[in-house]
Amino acid sequence: MEALRAFLVCTKCDKILDDLVNSWDLLDSNESNPSVVEAFAKSVSVNYQCYLPGMVTYFNPMLSSIYDSQRIIAVAFFAELISHHNCLDQTALELLLNSMLGRLVDASHVVRRLAIRGLGSIGKLDVENMDTLEWFGVYKYSNTVLSAMLGGMDDKDDINGDIALESMRGLCRVLEDMDHSYVEGSLINIILRVRSSFEKERPEIRAAAFNLFGVISRFSSGDVADSFQEQLHNNLVTILVHLNDEDKAVVKACKNALRSVGPLLGSETVKNMFQKHLIDTSLLFYAEFIADLSKNLATDFVDRMPMYIATCVAYFKSAWPVIKGNAAMFAGYLLASFPVELHSTVTNQSVFGALTLLLKDPSPEVRIKAAEAISSLHSY
């Protein structure tokens, strides 16, 4: 650390020193080293671009080092450079992308995570200012990058979910500007991968999953429109019960997702509710919102009501009391809004039995919401 600081002083790289003024202490932690290297790479890219070709040449052999720490530093440096492509020529940029692809099978999960981050930086590229050859040089990697992100979501050794989180965040950036033709064939596969992250214990992963679900809605036109709408309805209850998640970032992600997919549901009333009430900076009165929404769902999607209710009942086994309570309340409002003449189409006894069991739940919050749900079912 002292050697690097002394080197920067001797070489009069004052701007790098200024940019790293709050980062020196982080060098004592192996987990924080990548963030320091990224800050260093960013500063060089902005202030000392003439040094980059030589630095890329120097770091490149480290990608094959037998030492994890050296590979981590090299990949962190290259990953950050990709998002500053304007200071590199096309050949150098493609070298960096190929380097990231080569590290996806690295033995170190930190290296794999950083490689995913670098590939996700394609979404930050200034496409409007790239000429045709540059654009082709980057976007010929689109399918490969997309596959890498999906693979990262299923990394078997990703115990803490760091790689899955990086993959979903990267997909959000990449998909915002990617052409429909690259995604349509993988759309349903992406949705199925994302669904598995909706119930993850880490709130950051849940938030990233819901954000990604909203982002992929822009690819729902054309041949995949009907399939996406079906998947949307299959996951609607999940998003709605997490709309009152205990984590604020998850709540915000669910709001964003519902605003994005609202126009695709097939109901102007429901779409308008999402646009009007699901504002990031506004407090949502969840119970009142779900009560009103249930009435509109019963009117516009009566044929899907049994599925909505069955999904709510499945959440009665959630590990989170707040989600379990949300599901109980939602099920009650859905049942109360269901047309009387169609009551026989719902397996009432199993639903009522499940709600009754929740009255014995250890959580007072769950018991209260279950009691409220049951009290609204006087018409049955």
Side-chain angles (χ1 to χ4, degrees), residues 116-128:
I116 289 288
R117 177 180 296 178
L119 293 172
S121 294
I122 284 183
K124 298 180 180 179
L125 299 185
D126 186 6
V127 178
E128 293 183 359

Side-chain angles (χ1 to χ4, degrees), residues 46-225:
V46 173
N47 301 303
Y48 302 97
Q49 297 179 8
C50 59
Y51 297 147
L52 285 177
M55 297 183 76
V56 169
T57 301
Y58 175 79
F59 276 116
N60 197 44
M62 290 187 183
L63 294 171
S64 303
S65 171
I66 62 174
Y67 301 108
D68 288 359
S69 58
Q70 292 186 356
R71 298 199 309 279
I72 288 171
I73 289 174
V75 172
F77 187 81
F78 281 10
E80 181 63 26
L81 289 189
I82 293 176
S83 61
H84 300 280
H85 80 286
N86 57 312
C87 57
L88 300 167
D89 59 28
Q90 181 186 343
T91 301
L93 183 56
E94 291 194 43
L95 170 65
L96 297 180
L97 291 172
N98 283 320
S99 297
M100 297 300 98
L101 290 170
R103 291 298 98 200
L104 291 175
V105 294
D106 196 280
S108 166
H109 79 280
V110 177
V111 172
R112 297 198 302 276
R113 175 176 63 82
L114 292 170
I116 289 288
R117 177 180 296 178
L119 293 172
S121 294
I122 284 183
K124 298 180 180 179
L125 299 185
D126 186 6
V127 178
E128 293 183 359
N129 292 323
M130 298 173 75
D131 61 35
T132 303
L133 286 176
E134 286 180 317
W135 184 93
F136 177 77
V138 173
Y139 276 82
K140 71 181 182 182
Y141 290 89
S142 293
N143 284 331
T144 306
V145 169
L146 190 59
S147 298
M149 298 291 175
L150 292 175
M153 292 171 66
D154 288 334
D155 193 305
K156 295 180 180 179
D157 298 319
D158 186 26
I159 299 175
N160 296 321
D162 293 333
I163 297 175
L165 178 60
E166 203 68 65
S167 297
M168 287 188 288
R169 287 175 173 172
L171 271 174
C172 284
R173 294 193 298 269
V174 170
L175 294 178
E176 285 182 355
D177 293 311
M178 190 172 284
D179 188 84
H180 281 62
S181 60
Y182 289 106
V183 182
E184 286 182 350
S186 304
L187 186 63
I188 302 304
N189 188 22
I190 296 174
I191 293 174
L192 295 177
R193 302 285 183 93
V194 171
R195 286 177 62 177
S196 65
S197 296
F198 287 160
E199 309 304 326
K200 294 294 186 180
E201 184 175 352
R202 284 182 63 182
E204 303 98 320
I205 296 179
R206 298 201 301 277
F210 288 121
N211 276 324
L212 180 55
F213 192 84
V215 169
I216 60 179
S217 65
R218 65 181 289 264
F219 300 97
S220 61
S221 58
D223 295 337
V224 297

Side-chain angles (χ1 to χ4, degrees), residues 363-375:
S363 169
E365 179 184 5
V366 173
R367 296 198 300 271
I368 290 172
K369 289 186 176 180
E372 291 175 351
I374 292 173
S375 69

